Amino acid sequence: MKRNQKKRIVYTQNTPVHVKLWHHDFWRLAIANMLLTMSVYMLIPILPLWLQQHEDTELTALAMGAYGIGLFVMGPICNYLVQRYRRNHVCLFAVLLMLICLSVFYLFVSGKLPLFRCAIAAVGLRFCLGMTFGLAQMVLMSTLIIDICESFQRTEANHSASWFGRFGISLGPAVALIIWHYFGIEVMVLSCCVTCLFAMLLIRLVDFPFKAPEENVRMFSLDRFFLPDGWLLFINLLLVTTIAGLLFTTPLSYMFYSMMMGGFLLALLSEKFVFPNADLKSETVCGLILIVAALLMVNQSQTIMVNQFIPPVFIGFGIGIIGSRFLLFFIKLSRHCQRGTSQSTFFLAWELGISMGLFLGYSYLSSRIYSSGIILAFVALLMYVFVTHPWYMRNKNR
């Protein structure tokens, strides 16, 4: 079926209904998004363990938090790069740099490169990884996926592609823990490199039409980087994903991440069958209540069966449904030609929150992770109900 013969999206009151409009190019880019996310998140449960094995834990928090700083480095010149060069080439180059970062880390863990201090190398790795992954995601989600879709498909394309990334968040650590347990950290880091390589191949298989660059493009700008009109949504989403980052600093098994992926699946199904005509606040409120319930269960229950199965489903459902709703909010806040910028702003809020949670969980909040997470969830809930949602209803543009 040709692209111009695709069906239009059917919308209910709040949520786009999934229709069969995708072509092979979309699937390639969406899977590439998931693979790139996996390659980054595979390091989250393993890197601190590697530092502990080398008795170099003082800078663990800084190593995990440096990623969040790196995310913002390339953002101001993202629009200049995609206007000056072929946009798919910019994305491929960013992924190639990711692959080089991971390859250097493999040389470190395999002993082929000398280390003066493991944590210093880890800080540099995480910073560079954030810088390159940030650029790759900004170009992929805010430009390439939009370019291959007709104008009436783009909201659904952004919505669906973001779900692939969320599944990568849970699938990456689960796969990493299994590989690390049976084969060691060297094979695990090689697996990160392989996922990057496959993502490059998938992006390379997609043909993108040439677009003439705009005139008078500034080198530094907020285009395709940050949406100032969405600053309140940015802060609210940042609070939610910080909770997830805090939780990722606790000892978690591959079963926890697998059940978290089950929570993502339930959230995806509930969007279509439970929340289509519900009140606009219901998804975020329900998600935050489930996150609080999960943290209370983990903090209070001593039953392994309960902690391994129910809380991760609640966590996955909560952050999945909230992330999906906030993504649509960012899109509806954007003006004409700002869709890509709204995608990048959502991505930065999501990833920065997780990075902040990792930093705080390995430093200042290491002894009170669950109580801090509960407090953040209540703050996020009160902020959303009384501040963010009324503000959004007054300022949305779509």
Side-chain angles (χ1 to χ4, degrees), residues 164-320:
F164 279 82
R166 291 188 197 107
F167 279 107
I169 290 173
S170 55
L171 186 59
V175 171
L177 285 169
I178 294 173
I179 295 175
W180 174 74
H181 178 75
Y182 288 102
F183 303 103
I185 190 171
E186 295 180 24
V187 177
M188 192 281 297
V189 177
L190 280 177
S191 301
C192 296
C193 297
V194 170
T195 57
C196 268
L197 184 60
F198 274 113
M200 287 184 64
L201 293 175
L202 289 172
I203 296 170
R204 186 66 183 84
L205 289 173
V206 180
D207 293 324
F208 295 94
F210 173 77
K211 286 192 175 183
E214 299 175 1
E215 296 181 359
N216 301 320
V217 178
R218 293 179 297 174
M219 179 169 288
F220 300 99
S221 71
L222 294 180
D223 292 343
R224 306 176 197 270
F225 172 43
F226 190 80
L227 184 69
D229 292 340
W231 67 274
L232 201 54
L233 283 177
F234 184 94
I235 295 173
N236 214 156
L237 181 60
L238 184 73
L239 292 174
V240 175
T241 54
T242 299
I243 301 170
L246 284 172
L247 193 61
F248 289 162
T249 63
T250 62
L252 301 174
S253 67
Y254 72 90
M255 182 59 68
F256 187 98
Y257 289 107
S258 301
M259 297 305 297
M260 185 177 170
M261 189 159 43
F264 286 148
L265 180 60
L266 289 177
L268 181 60
L269 294 174
S270 70
E271 277 192 327
K272 186 173 182 180
F273 298 108
V274 179
F275 292 106
N277 296 303
D279 184 83
L280 199 57
K281 295 180 182 178
S282 59
E283 289 172 305
T284 302
V285 172
C286 178
L288 285 168
I289 290 174
L290 287 178
I291 289 173
V292 171
L295 293 173
L296 287 172
M297 291 175 66
V298 174
N299 193 33
Q300 300 295 329
S301 176
Q302 301 298 323
T303 306
I304 296 179
M305 183 67 68
V306 172
N307 289 345
Q308 287 291 329
F309 291 94
I310 301 177
V313 173
F314 284 2
I315 293 290
F317 185 96
I319 64 174

Side-chain angles (χ1 to χ4, degrees), residues 37-161:
T37 306
M38 284 181 62
S39 67
V40 171
Y41 278 79
M42 286 174 75
L43 292 177
I44 287 180
I46 305 301
L47 185 57
L49 298 177
W50 179 67
L51 293 173
Q52 290 170 7
Q53 289 176 353
H54 288 79
E55 297 182 354
D56 206 353
T57 59
E58 310 88 58
L59 296 179
T60 299
L62 185 59
M64 302 309 291
Y67 165 83
I69 301 173
L71 290 170
F72 290 82
V73 172
M74 301 299 293
I77 63 171
C78 179
N79 185 59
Y80 173 80
L81 291 175
V82 298
Q83 295 291 341
R84 178 66 177 80
Y85 307 100
R86 291 289 295 266
R87 49 200 64 193
N88 56 321
H89 292 172
V90 175
C91 186
L92 286 169
F93 183 68
V95 179
L96 177 61
L97 292 178
M98 284 182 61
L99 181 60
I100 292 173
C101 290
L102 292 170
S103 300
V104 171
F105 185 57
Y106 168 76
L107 296 177
F108 282 146
V109 300
S110 61
K112 294 180 173 62
L113 284 180
L115 273 177
F116 294 102
R117 190 164 186 180
C118 298
I120 294 176
V123 170
L125 165 74
R126 292 282 293 173
F127 178 83
C128 293
L129 201 57
M131 182 174 63
T132 54
F133 179 63
L135 178 60
Q137 279 287 358
M138 288 180 197
V139 179
L140 178 62
M141 297 296 291
S142 67
T143 301
L144 299 187
I145 287 179
I146 291 175
D147 283 351
I148 64 168
C149 297
E150 303 294 341
S151 58
F152 59 83
Q153 296 177 330
R154 288 171 179 170
T155 296
E156 177 68 0
N158 295 142
H159 177 264
S160 299

